Each structure stands twice: as structure tokens, then as C-alpha cells.
Amino acid sequence: MKNLALNNKWILVTGASSGLGQEMARQLAHIHKANLIIAARRADKLEDLKAELEKAAGIKVKVIVADLSIPEEADRVINESIANGNLYGAILNAGVTYFGRHTELPWDNFESILKTNVIGVVRMTNSLVKHFDKPGSVGGVMLVSSMAGFFPVPYQAAYSATKAFITAFGNALHNELQNPDFSITVFSPGGIATEMTDNSKFNELKGWLMPVSEAAKEGIHAFITRKYNYVPGLLNRIGNVFMNFLPKRFISGKMSKVYLKSLTKAQEE
Ligand SMILES: NC(=O)c1ccc[n+]([C@@H]2O[C@H](COP(=O)([O-])OP(=O)(O)OC[C@H]3O[C@@H](n4cnc5c(N)ncnc54)[C@H](OP(=O)(O)O)[C@@H]3O)[C@@H](O)[C@H]2O)c1
């Protein structure tokens, strides 16, 4: 299977208004000279990024303001992205978390996490597979999951479960594809320093966070080289192999102590 060649091609990046999505958009524009369709809810952030990238990288950017937790909005993003027939790839990156006791997570917030991280992603992936998985079509899709999808993460129980879904879904679908020129990659970072983790609850965990530029660089590498499931960072990859030999209950128990300490400290401040 040939690598993706992004120069002058149109790539959709969801969740491009901050964090990993914004940084991947920047690197796709500056380094790979890709044209971008950027989607998220915050119009001002997307318009600022469009102005910045069109000026500094000389590429074209289309903004789609959408709430991807609403299935019709997710459909609109894909319909507008494929409308002129030149979409080459999509990075479905938008996601939300909740860090705290699961019993304290209001039901509406839980539903919103589920709709953003799972329903919206599946909805968009279904349409993208229909679009790309046919003879003569060339392209790739990358689903941004998390290492939290590999083992149960206490105090991020709902988030961890949504990412386990995305990992299983993306990896299973990878092996259903019939077009050899189309791929689905799952990208599974450990912690990254972004808006998501810029919260005092994560203070005790901040030493483990990867700089967003590194995570974005490795994410784009995984996308271009059509990896099946890719974990950025050598230490994360080694840790992941090592953890496969340990019982999930043991890992989850150890994590629970570290996470609870961080949460408790934040609550005491
Ligand atoms: N940070 C980490 O430690 C970490 C680790 C592993 C995996 N990840 C994954 O990486 C991805 C990006 O997260 P991040 O760390 O970059 O967090 P972030 O800075 O909070 O960015 C999240 C992005 O998702 C968008 N988004 C959230 N809800 C949305 C909705 N309903 N509709 C449309 N867009 C929505 C946000 O845009 P708007 O608010 O403008 O809508 C924002 O652009 C997520 O899937 C996350 O699970 C993060």
C-alpha cells in the first residue's frame, strides 16, 4: 500500500480549534502543504487559524462550524467535505473528557461525551468509508483514540470506555476495507499537553504529558504511513508492550491511586 501524498490535497481535520487538531492542521499546512477543511464549534478560533495558515503556509482552508455531538451536524461536515469530489483524507480528532468520580458526572454530560467521542465519529466514519472504499478511490482516515482505550482508566471511566470503542471499531473496520488504496488508522496517544489537560486536576500528571507538537508530528506520520494502530512516543510504546503482560486489574488499580491523588490535591487547593 502506497503512503499518502498530501501535497495540494484536501484533508479534513475535526477539533482543529485547539490542541492536537490545531497543531496537526498547522503541520499539515506548513510541512506537508495540504489544503485543509477545519471543523469545530468555536468559529473565531477556526477563522483565526484559517487566516494564519493561508497567509503563512500559502494553502487553502475551508472552515466548517459544527457541533459534532449532533448527528445531522456530523453528516453536514462530511457532505460539505466530499461535495466537490476532491477530499483525500480525514482526521477525526474532536473529543472531550471528564476527569472525576463517574458517579459525579451528570447524565447530560455523559451523553454529550458519548455523542462526541463515539456517535459522531461512527456517523462520519460510515460516510467516509462509503466515499473511499470503492475501486479507483485513494485516501485515508485516521481516528484519534487514546492509550486510555487500551486499559480501563479510573476517574476517566466514561472517556476511557469511549476510546476503547473507537480503538476496537477502527481496528475492526481496517480489516473490512476492500479498496487497497484506502486505509483506516487508529492513533492512540498517552497524555498530551492541550486544553484537555490544562486543568489543576491534572497537576500531578503533568510530568507525563507529551508536547503537542511531538504528538501531532507522530500522528501525521501514522496517517501518512497508514499505520493500523499507532502510539506516539518511544516510552509510551515500550510501556504499552510491557503493560500487555500485566493483568488489567493491576494496572487500573495502580492508576487509580495516582489519579485520585491528583484529583484530591486539586480539590484541596
Ligand atoms: N490531551 C490528551 O491527553 C489526549 C490524550 C490522548 C488522546 N487525546 C485525544 O485527542 C483529541 C484531541 O484532544 P485535545 O487533547 O487536543 O483536546 P482539546 O484541546 O480540548 O481539543 C478538543 C477539540 O475537539 C473539539 N470538540 C470538542 N467537542 C466538540 C463538538 N461537540 N463538536 C465539534 N468539535 C468539538 C474542540 O473544539 P470546540 O470546543 O471549538 O468545539 C477542540 O478543537 C481528542 O479526541 C482526545 O480524546 C487527548
Side-chain angles (χ1 to χ4, degrees):
M1 190 178 251
K2 272 197 197 152
N3 284 353
L4 295 172
L6 304 182
N7 193 307
N8 208 23
K9 300 280 180 25
W10 283 92
I11 308 295
L12 164 68
V13 181
T14 70
S17 60
S18 69
L20 181 63
Q22 187 181 64
E23 186 57 29
M24 284 195 288
R26 286 203 172 104
Q27 294 188 17
L28 285 167
H30 285 288
I31 301 169
H32 302 278
K33 297 291 170 198
N35 298 315
L36 299 171
I37 302 165
I38 52 176
R41 290 167 302 185
R42 286 172 289 177
D44 54 337
K45 299 252 181 199
L46 294 177
E47 290 297 344
D48 287 353
L49 186 63
K50 173 183 161 77
E52 174 197 319
L53 296 182
E54 286 190 334
K55 189 168 176 218
I59 49 104
K60 289 175 231 148
V61 180
K62 180 181 159 83
V63 165
I64 306 180
V65 179
D67 183 342
L68 295 168
S69 68
I70 302 168
E72 293 73 21
E73 293 273 279
D75 289 348
R76 179 170 63 80
V77 168
I78 299 302
N79 290 340
E80 288 185 22
S81 299
I82 62 178
N84 57 9
N86 55 16
L87 186 73
Y88 185 71
I91 300 180
L92 304 185
N93 158 81
V96 281
T97 193
Y98 163 78
F99 184 22
R101 280 185 194 282
H102 180 72
T103 48
E104 291 168 12
L105 171 64
W107 182 256
D108 287 354
N109 293 17
F110 166 69
E111 277 197 332
S112 175
I113 294 172
L114 195 63
K115 285 176 182 164
T116 308
N117 294 7
V118 176
I119 308 284
V121 175
V122 173
R123 191 93 173 184
M124 290 187 283
T125 306
N126 289 354
S127 304
L128 288 164
V129 169
K130 223 177 247 173
H131 178 73
F132 281 115
D133 197 22
K134 56 191 179 212
S137 190
V138 180
V141 166
M142 185 163 83
L143 309 183
V144 177
S145 185
S146 167
M147 285 183 81
F150 296 164
F151 38 80
V153 180
Y155 306 102
Q156 287 199 86
Y159 174 75
S160 169
T162 64
K163 293 301 183 180
F165 181 102
I166 290 303
T167 299
F169 172 69
N171 287 164
L173 214 51
H174 179 102
N175 287 312
E176 285 189 26
L177 301 178
Q178 294 182 316
N179 173 8
D181 294 317
F182 172 56
S183 52
I184 294 186
T185 293
V186 173
F187 182 53
S188 304
I192 313 168
T194 64
E195 273 184 22
M196 186 176 270
T197 49
D198 187 21
N199 179 317
S200 62
K201 288 181 186 174
F202 286 91
N203 275 354
E204 293 288 301
L205 310 166
K206 286 202 169 140
W208 296 353
L209 301 180
M210 176 180 263
V212 69
S213 58
E214 269 177 45
K217 188 175 169 205
E218 293 207 40
I220 294 169
H221 164 76
F223 179 53
I224 290 176
T225 55
R226 301 175 182 276
K227 294 279 186 285
Y228 173 68
N229 197 335
Y230 192 83
V231 175
L234 184 62
L235 283 181
N236 284 339
R237 285 195 286 279
I238 293 170
N240 188 39
V241 170
F242 183 64
M243 283 192 283
N244 277 325
F245 291 102
L246 297 170
K248 280 192 173 162
R249 184 175 175 179
F250 173 79
I251 301 169
S252 196
K254 292 280 175 214
M255 289 179 78
S256 127
K257 292 202 175 87
V258 179
Y259 277 50
L260 182 59
K261 189 175 159 209
S262 194
L263 264 179
T264 310
K265 268 204 162 181
Q267 277 156 4
E268 284 167 0
E269 276 168 13

